[in-house]
């Protein structure tokens, strides 16, 4: 902690007060975290933490500061912390976001910033939810390539146009921000949810895949695509910018086109 | 400092609130239809009772209720067309927000036209 390294002398003459670490503006925030620990109380509660943060900090940095310096019992998931792994989806100021992709300076820092677990999945502790129902739906749509016939000796060739057809839905990182923003999913846990449909879309419209009909049949279920009420919460919530509602509409159209 | 114990409301945008409006107007219309089927079927039981019930609707309070009902039906109808477009028009999802503004604009024009005529007839005497 105390081993401070002296910066090497700069070769450029800078006027006093310019450059160095103090350049980034700091500001004070109140982080309001939804706390739940079933071993202590069945009731959830709000905890406020007052922090001084930098303009480059994200909500995840604020959570780290709380966990590492103030209250080690605050629990949340995160892995890569750079918007790739999809572990830290949470409800920030009432909207599903990745904590690692939400800059504090983009939020209203005059009011407390609320951080809650994503909705519709059972909360285990604080910001950690049980993702099993989410992954159950994901597995049911068979998110892997199924092909008939002989395996080619070389790669499976695909035209640029054919690849483009499902490009948008390949971006999914399975963070569950979309599924847990869906009002239908909150009240009907049986609904497949946007993420499962997005990942089905990725294979249904892949020219190399031969199980599109099977997946359409699965999603033609009572709890399949027809549960979608086009609220667009999923499209707004997706941290990868996937046009989720558009993808669901395309699956709906494919089911109808197949029937005719 | 624990404050309100309840969770916050999800802050969805136009799409979510149009869906909420669609739900509420749908339920309102359902209850109207229920009453409407009952009062209309009265005519088979007793024409006098039917006339008495329909006559009872002729008061300012019911006129306001009818105005509200038309407002609900108009929104449900126009937004329903928007939802169909989102599902079946290729660019529907892309232009859903613009379509909602169109729905609200058409709703306002049609509803204002109806409300002025209906309320002046119902409340303004003859």
């Amino acid at each position: 902690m105390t081993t401070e390294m002296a910066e090497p002398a700069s070769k450029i003459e800078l006027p006093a007060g310019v450059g160095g670490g103090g350049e980034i503006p700091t500001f004070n925030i109140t982080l309001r975290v939804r706390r739940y620990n079933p071993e202590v109380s069945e009731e959830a509660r709000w905890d406020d933490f007052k922090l001084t943060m930098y303009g480059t900090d994200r909500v995840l940095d604020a959570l780290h500061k709380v966990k590492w310096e103030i209250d080690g019992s605050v629990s949340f998931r995160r892995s890569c912390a750079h918007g790739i792994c999809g572990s830290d989806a949470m409800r920030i100021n009432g909207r599903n976001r990745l904590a690692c992709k939400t800059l504090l300076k983009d939020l209203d820092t005059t009011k407390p910033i609320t951080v809650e677990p994503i909705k519709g999945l059972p909360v285990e502790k604080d910001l950690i939810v049980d993702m099993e129902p989410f992954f159950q739906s994901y597995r049911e749509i068979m998110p892997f390539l199924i092909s008939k016939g002989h395996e080619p000796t070389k790669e499976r060739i695909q035209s640029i146009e054919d690849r483009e057809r499902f490009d948008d839905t390949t971006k999914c990182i399975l963070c569950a921000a979309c599924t847990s923003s869906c009002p239908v999913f909150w009240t009907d846990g049986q609904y497949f949810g946007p993420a499962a449909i997005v990942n089905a879309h990725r294979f249904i419209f892949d020219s190399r895949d031969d199980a599109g009909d099977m997946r359409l049949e699965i999603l033609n279920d009572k709890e399949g695509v027809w549960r979608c009420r086009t609220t667009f919460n999923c499209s707004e919530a997706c941290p990868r910018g996937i046009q989720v509602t558009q993808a669901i509409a395309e699956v709906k159209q494919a089911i109808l086109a197949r029937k005719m | 400092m624990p404050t309100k114990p309840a969770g916050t409301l999800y802050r969805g945008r136009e799409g979510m609130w149009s869906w909420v409006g669609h739900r509420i107007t749908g339920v309102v219309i359902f209850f109207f239809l229920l009453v409407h089927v009952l009062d209309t079927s009265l005519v088979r039981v007793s024409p006098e009772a039917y006339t008495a019930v329909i006559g009872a609707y002729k008061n300012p309070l019911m006129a306001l209720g009818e105005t509200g009902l038309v407002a609900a039906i108009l929104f449900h109808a126009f937004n329903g067309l928007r939802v169909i477009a989102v599902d079946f028009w290729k660019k529907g999802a892309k232009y859903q927000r613009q379509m909602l503004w169109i729905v609200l604009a058409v709703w306002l024009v049609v509803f204002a036209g109806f409300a002025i005529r209906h309320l002046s007839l119902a409340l303004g005497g003859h």
Side-chain angles (χ1 to χ4, degrees), chain A residues 136-229:
Chain A
Q136 177 70 35
S137 298
Y138 175 62
R139 282 192 294 267
E140 273 172 37
I141 56 97
M142 302 182 291
F144 38 81
L145 187 85
I146 301 171
S147 66
K148 288 195 213 106
H150 296 293
E151 205 164 299
T153 48
K154 289 190 282 187
E155 77 267 34
R156 296 169 200 273
I157 294 167
Q158 187 168 46
S159 71
I160 293 171
E161 294 75 39
D162 283 349
R163 175 62 178 72
E164 189 62 31
R165 181 67 193 83
F166 61 93
D167 186 65
D168 200 35
T169 45
T170 60
K171 300 174 193 163
C172 179
I173 54 173
L174 295 170
C175 66
C178 59
T179 294
S180 62
S181 76
C182 177
V184 179
F185 182 77
W186 299 335
T187 49
D188 176 7
Q190 295 298 304
Y191 173 42
F192 273 88
I197 300 170
V198 159
N199 284 282
H201 179 284
R202 184 248 170 274
F203 287 100
I204 290 166
F205 294 98
D206 187 336
S207 61
R208 298 165 297 187
D209 189 90
D210 292 319
D213 267 349
M214 247 153 79
R215 294 196 186 88
L216 290 178
E217 197 46 60
I218 293 166
L219 290 176
N220 195 18
D221 184 79
K222 186 165 75 73
E223 302 290 351
V225 284
W226 307 113
R227 274 275 176 274
C228 168
R229 294 293 188 273

Side-chain angles (χ1 to χ4, degrees), chain A residues 34-121:
Chain A
R34 185 110 174 130
R35 305 296 304 275
Y36 171 70
N37 184 353
E39 289 173 7
V40 175
S41 165
E42 282 301 310
E43 291 272 305
R45 65 174 204 278
W46 292 97
D47 273 0
D48 282 10
F49 301 98
K50 295 207 184 304
L51 308 164
T52 301
M53 303 302 295
Y54 293 99
T56 49
D57 281 337
R58 307 151 300 167
V59 173
L60 182 64
D61 297 307
L63 283 168
H64 276 155
K65 205 175 167 76
V66 168
K67 186 170 179 72
W68 294 339
E69 296 171 20
I70 301 169
D71 183 349
S73 70
V74 172
S75 305
F76 54 91
R77 279 199 189 102
R78 70 101 173 82
S79 184
C80 78
H82 291 83
I84 302 296
C85 72
S87 301
D88 64 348
M90 47 190 77
R91 199 144 44 111
I92 297 163
N93 277 356
R95 288 192 176 128
N96 281 2
R97 292 285 180 265
L98 294 185
C100 59
K101 281 188 84 173
T102 309
L103 284 168
L104 289 167
K105 71 174 174 65
D106 294 341
L107 302 169
D108 182 3
T109 48
T110 59
K111 278 186 266 175
I113 294 164
T114 61
V115 179
E116 298 159 83
I118 46 177
K119 225 172 136 110
L121 292 163

Side-chain angles (χ1 to χ4, degrees), chain A residues 32 34 44-46 48 91 93-96 114 116 119 181 183 186 229-233 236-237 245-246 249 252-253 256, chain B residues 1-16 19 23 82-83 86-90 92-94 96-97:
Chain A
R32 181 167 290 171
R34 185 110 174 130
R45 65 174 204 278
W46 292 97
D48 282 10
R91 199 144 44 111
N93 277 356
R95 288 192 176 128
N96 281 2
T114 61
E116 298 159 83
K119 225 172 136 110
S181 76
W186 299 335
R229 294 293 188 273
T230 62
T231 72
F232 287 90
N233 278 7
E236 310 269 3
T245 315
Q246 172 73 38
K252 284 176 183 171
Q253 289 162 15
L256 290 177
Chain B
M1 181 174 42
T3 47
K4 48 183 177 174
T8 63
L9 197 65
Y10 193 88
R11 280 174 55 208
R13 299 186 56 177
E14 295 90 342
M16 181 173 113
W19 167 77
R23 274 276 152 107
R82 170 180 161 269
V83 171
V86 166
D87 271 345
F88 296 112
W89 176 40
K90 258 194 164 58
K94 193 177 169 194
Q96 59 101 1
R97 202 163 291 149

Side-chain angles (χ1 to χ4, degrees), chain A residues 116-134:
Chain A
E116 298 159 83
I118 46 177
K119 225 172 136 110
L121 292 163
V123 182
E124 292 188 330
K125 191 188 174 194
D126 295 345
L127 302 173
I128 298 174
V129 297
D130 178 10
M131 298 280 278
E132 189 43 37
F134 172 80

